[in-house]
Amino acid sequence: MRLLLVEDEKYMAEAVAQVLKKNNYTVDLAYNGEDGLDCGLSGIYDIIILDIMLPKMDGISVLKELRENGIATPVILLTARGAIEDKVNGLDSGADDYLAKPFHTDELLARLRALGRRKTEPLINDGILKVGDIEFNPHTFQLKCGSYETTLTLKESQLLELLIKRNGMIVSKENIIEKLWGYDTDAEENRVEIHVSLLRKKLASVDSRVCIRTVRGAGYALKTAKESYKAEKGY
Ligand code: CA
């Protein structure tokens, strides 16, 4: 599990990170809201631990921005003890849990385990996968967006299903090869690129705003929000 901890009190952040690492989490640190947002937008984290009081950009704004960009990574907010509005605001903005500071690391570890267990598949409705403006039926391979509809090939369907289920997180080319051709295969990475390109065309053909983001050197991720983190970051 890869965690992002966004906390400006460096001494505390490093102490918490050490405990997390001892418990087999991979931890990246960000010391202000802007850096936290940049890291969070990569979509590579399993859980983000986000302090509310941060320099450059507060935690609630970071959280809102992440959600607006389609990043569904579970977020634990760190609030000041007793700050009820923070909790309400935080949960309204899409936080999954909160923890009042100061906290014992055992409590944080328990919350992380709980969130890890709660691995959600909220997109699934009667077997239909819904994300952004599309509906996809993995049994019939039908892809719908508004009044447009198209049928995917088996490989395109497997690829889209994988991307949707990863909920905006990066899927590596290796993962895609395993999913589409199995472990025991000599399929090469350029075949992944071909199917990604075909699926992109299908998404465009139904006029969807959902797109497949290329994350250089890492893989692909589904992006649902309209505007362009893409353009800013040069993806
Ligand atoms: Ca702080």
Side-chain angles (χ1 to χ4, degrees):
M1 279 252 243
R2 188 172 191 133
L3 308 180
L4 173 65
L5 173 58
V6 191
E7 165 64 79
D8 57 310
E9 289 153 62
K10 288 195 179 177
Y11 180 79
M12 182 215 167
E14 275 153 24
V16 171
Q18 282 226 319
V19 175
L20 294 173
K21 284 174 188 166
K22 273 192 196 135
N23 284 272
N24 299 318
Y25 291 101
T26 304
V27 187
D28 291 337
L29 292 170
Y31 299 118
N32 65 62
E34 280 177 11
D35 289 350
L37 176 61
D38 262 3
C39 294
L41 284 171
S42 71
I44 63 171
Y45 297 100
D46 296 300
I47 297 177
I48 299 173
I49 304 161
L50 181 60
D51 189 26
I52 289 187
M53 298 286 283
L54 289 168
K56 294 195 179 172
M57 189 175 186
D58 69 89
I60 300 277
S61 305
V62 171
L63 174 60
K64 283 186 181 158
E65 194 81 4
L66 287 173
R67 295 299 184 242
E68 278 167 19
N69 280 280
I71 301 289
T73 311
V75 168
I76 300 179
L77 279 179
L78 302 180
T79 68
R81 190 167 287 282
I84 299 291
E85 307 119 70
D86 278 0
K87 290 175 194 167
V88 173
N89 247 329
L91 293 171
D92 279 351
S93 309
D96 298 84
D97 201 355
Y98 61 84
L99 195 53
K101 292 210 289 188
F103 54 85
H104 196 282
T105 45
D106 283 347
E107 191 176 1
L108 176 60
L109 289 167
R111 302 293 180 100
L112 289 171
R113 283 194 298 272
L115 264 188
R117 271 196 302 272
R118 215 204 287 165
K119 269 289 176 200
T120 46
E121 288 197 346
L123 312 159
I124 297 166
N125 256 321
D126 311 327
I128 309 276
L129 302 172
K130 292 184 186 175
V131 62
D133 55 9
I134 58 170
E135 286 184 20
F136 171 61
N137 185 331
H139 308 293
T140 62
F141 304 169
Q142 287 299 114
L143 175 68
K144 269 197 191 170
C145 175
S147 55
Y148 297 102
E149 203 169 324
T150 187
T151 307
L152 304 188
T153 64
L154 172 64
K155 295 279 185 255
E156 290 162 358
S157 296
Q158 290 171 330
L159 177 59
L160 182 59
E161 187 177 350
L162 182 63
L163 288 165
I164 292 176
K165 288 191 170 168
R166 286 303 300 272
N167 232 338
M169 289 191 211
I170 295 174
V171 184
S172 67
K173 285 184 176 173
E174 293 76 41
N175 287 160
I176 295 172
I177 289 173
E178 284 163 17
K179 169 89 182 176
L180 271 62
W181 292 281
Y183 289 96
D184 200 15
T185 175
D186 51 10
E188 296 194 0
E189 294 196 348
N190 64 355
R191 291 183 64 190
V192 173
E193 288 157 21
I194 292 166
H195 287 281
V196 167
S197 153
L198 291 169
L199 181 55
R200 279 181 174 142
K201 284 182 187 143
K202 290 278 175 79
L203 285 167
S205 78
V206 293
D207 213 17
S208 172
R209 291 196 308 232
V210 172
C211 63
I212 303 169
R213 188 159 65 89
T214 304
V215 185
R216 242 169 257 132
Y220 300 96
L222 211 57
K223 184 172 175 300
T224 54
K226 43 229 118 150
E227 32 64 290
S228 40
Y229 171 59
K230 201 164 109 184
E232 283 163 38
K233 298 288 160 183
Y235 288 140

